[in-house]
Amino acid sequence: MYSNGYNVYKNNSVNYASKEQLLLMLVDGAVKFSKIARQAIVDEDFKKAHDALIRTQDIFSELMVSLDTTVGDWAVQLFRVYAFIKERLIAANLKKDIEIVDEIIPLIEDINDTWKQAYKLAKK
């Protein structure tokens, strides 16, 4: 009963979110799933690690296709950062390598923090 209500709430929060809020949800999800993947590798739950890494890759794919690289050099540079992270996620998934995951989690967290700060500044 409660899970159904939660799912309705969750779907509505996505359906009625602004583009900026959706971006924040994506980068929050990237942090969450990369950390789930890390723990799954530690636990040797490779199916769970694979699924979480794929979800993180999908998020970065979405961030890449939604980025307008015609607005400036910063967007092109950000696209390259996203592409690098996605490449490292693929490598981490192929090898189930915790060192690669440990390398990219701080980058994902930095991106998350940067977008949160940009959102706060844009709201002012």
Side-chain angles (χ1 to χ4, degrees):
M1 177 176 148
Y2 293 110
S3 66
N4 188 30
Y6 174 73
N7 287 336
V8 169
Y9 168 77
K10 196 168 149 185
N11 286 338
N12 284 340
S13 68
V14 170
N15 291 335
Y16 296 107
S18 68
K19 288 188 282 186
E20 295 84 5
Q21 291 167 325
L22 288 173
L23 177 101
L24 293 177
M25 288 179 198
L26 282 173
V27 293
D28 280 342
V31 171
K32 173 186 165 186
F33 291 116
S34 62
K35 289 181 177 181
I36 288 171
R38 185 193 189 286
Q39 187 58 50
I41 292 170
V42 169
D43 296 340
E44 296 184 7
D45 185 346
F46 298 121
K47 166 95 172 80
K48 186 175 184 178
H50 170 78
D51 292 345
L53 287 166
I54 290 293
R55 290 186 82 169
T56 311
Q57 289 172 44
D58 289 346
I59 289 169
F60 277 94
S61 293
E62 185 63 32
L63 291 170
M64 290 168 72
V65 298
S66 66
L67 191 59
D68 182 1
T69 56
T70 64
V71 296
D73 190 48
W74 69 269
V76 173
Q77 295 300 324
L78 189 55
F79 184 91
R80 290 180 182 149
V81 171
Y82 290 167
F84 171 78
I85 290 170
K86 188 174 173 193
E87 288 172 18
R88 297 305 287 157
L89 287 164
I90 292 167
N93 201 5
L94 288 172
K95 299 175 183 178
K96 301 300 183 272
D97 188 334
I98 198 161
E99 289 180 14
I100 297 172
V101 176
D102 285 343
E103 167 193 330
I104 58 174
I105 286 176
L107 297 174
I108 296 170
E109 290 174 329
D110 284 348
I111 289 168
N112 189 24
D113 292 342
T114 299
W115 280 119
K116 283 181 180 179
Q117 289 173 351
Y119 180 73
K120 286 177 187 175
L121 288 173
K123 294 292 280 182
K124 288 184 180 182

